[in-house]
Amino acid sequence: HTVDLHTETAMVELSYCLQGAREIRVSGAEFEVAPGSYTLQFVNPAKASMHFGGDQAFQMLSIGIPVSTFHHFMEEAGGVRSFEFDRIIGDKPYRMFQQTIDPATIILLRHMLQAARGQAVRNIELECRMLELMSSAFSSFLLDGKPPSTKLSKTDRSKIEHAREIILERMAEPPSLMELSRLIGLNDYKLKTGFKEMYGRTVFGYLRDQRLEKAYRLLRSGSTSVIEVSCEVGYSNPSYFAEAFREKYGVNPGEFVRRS
């Protein structure tokens, strides 16, 4: 199936593909959108078409805003704006960024889809969720997408990548910062500053996120209890695990299992 489109004004669109793949063709260029991914699209007036394969279901959610609204969101409190639509898209009719949808966003999308099916949700709640999605996407694709600093040598970057592998392999019982420094052969200060430069989080802030994302996947599978998952990802205290999970995903792990 093909859907032909014609955009008459420039716009920015944030789109989530939950189920089903599709192709987008704009001015002779082709782009593929995979299920489980989300895209941030910058569109100048142009003719486009979306191509959907047969024999599969599709579930998508998109938010479109005019360029003026995008510029408003990109302004700092003092009125300075470091991102301009024209500089991002250049002289092209279309530009697309794409990443995998993370577990926390999937929960937020489910709430929005429930609202779209007619369940009672106030406009303020729906708009707050849309702003949260846009804030996260702009941060991921634009604000955090700056070129990496050249302060770290290639050797140091390799050592920090090794540190990341170690904490993921030893997630249940991770080494201390000093032990991790010794294991990779890098002093603790350079490890701390370099890790945050490369991954945007402190060593143990990153570990916490990875623990909770693994817990999300295990609980969603339904084959492991909350207590077992808590221990597997390194939380010896189930109450502390439940608090951390609720803080990140907005729901208690037990309730999440029942919903899943």
Side-chain angles (χ1 to χ4, degrees):
H1 303 278
T2 299
V3 178
D4 293 318
L5 304 169
H6 180 211
T7 56
E8 296 183 352
T9 185
M11 63 178 291
V12 177
E13 182 176 305
L14 177 60
S15 184
Y16 295 85
C17 182
L18 297 167
Q19 186 179 5
R22 74 181 190 272
E23 291 180 356
I24 301 173
R25 298 178 186 174
V26 186
S27 299
E30 294 186 6
F31 306 85
E32 185 175 350
V33 179
S37 69
Y38 71 107
T39 59
L40 181 61
Q41 302 165 69
F42 294 83
V43 188
N44 267 323
K47 290 184 178 181
S49 61
M50 291 195 297
H51 298 259
F52 300 88
D55 302 322
Q56 60 177 316
F58 298 91
Q59 188 177 48
M60 302 163 196
L61 184 147
S62 297
I63 303 165
I65 58 174
V67 173
S68 58
T69 303
F70 171 72
H71 284 164
H72 168 70
F73 287 151
M74 289 293 100
E75 282 185 3
E76 298 174 12
V80 177
R81 187 167 68 226
S82 53
F83 290 91
E84 294 276 354
F85 177 89
D86 289 339
R87 289 210 299 266
I88 293 171
I89 197 170
D91 58 356
K92 302 175 183 177
Y94 180 81
R95 187 173 182 187
M96 183 178 80
F97 301 87
Q98 185 169 198
Q99 279 188 14
T100 302
I101 305 174
D102 63 89
T105 300
I106 289 175
I107 291 178
L108 190 57
L109 291 168
R110 285 179 178 169
H111 291 163
M112 295 183 71
L113 288 168
Q114 288 172 0
R117 295 188 185 104
Q119 298 190 12
V121 176
R122 292 182 177 86
N123 284 338
I124 189 170
E125 298 173 51
L126 196 58
E127 290 186 20
C128 282
R129 289 168 185 165
M130 286 191 288
L131 287 171
E132 188 175 346
L133 289 172
M134 286 189 285
S135 176
S136 175
F138 293 157
S139 176
S140 177
F141 289 121
L142 303 176
L143 306 180
D144 293 342
K146 299 174 183 176
S149 169
T150 56
K151 293 179 182 177
L152 292 171
S153 68
K154 186 176 180 179
T155 301
D156 288 346
R157 293 179 69 85
S158 177
K159 289 178 177 180
I160 292 170
E161 287 172 1
H162 186 209
R164 173 182 172 275
E165 292 169 1
I166 290 172
I167 63 173
L168 293 179
E169 289 171 0
R170 297 171 55 177
M171 184 179 288
E173 296 181 8
S176 67
L177 191 67
M178 293 303 294
E179 184 184 354
L180 187 60
S181 298
R182 181 181 58 78
L183 288 171
I184 65 171
L186 199 66
N187 69 63
D188 62 318
Y189 175 78
K190 186 167 281 189
L191 171 60
K192 286 190 294 184
T193 57
F195 196 97
K196 190 165 186 179
E197 180 182 312
M198 287 179 64
Y199 299 110
R201 300 297 306 275
T202 64
V203 174
F204 292 104
Y206 181 86
L207 174 62
R208 178 180 182 275
D209 284 347
Q210 295 301 311
R211 279 173 161 173
L212 292 173
E213 288 192 14
K214 182 177 180 180
Y216 176 97
R217 293 191 296 270
L218 291 171
L219 291 173
R220 191 178 182 187
S221 71
S223 59
T224 315
S225 71
V226 172
I227 293 177
E228 289 172 329
V229 168
S230 174
C231 293
E232 184 167 342
V233 299
Y235 286 89
S236 57
N237 185 331
S239 297
Y240 184 49
F241 166 67
E243 181 182 346
F245 191 92
R246 183 172 62 250
E247 181 182 335
K248 184 172 178 66
Y249 296 118
V251 61
N252 285 321
E255 183 181 351
F256 175 70
V257 170
R258 288 192 293 275
R259 289 183 183 180
S260 298

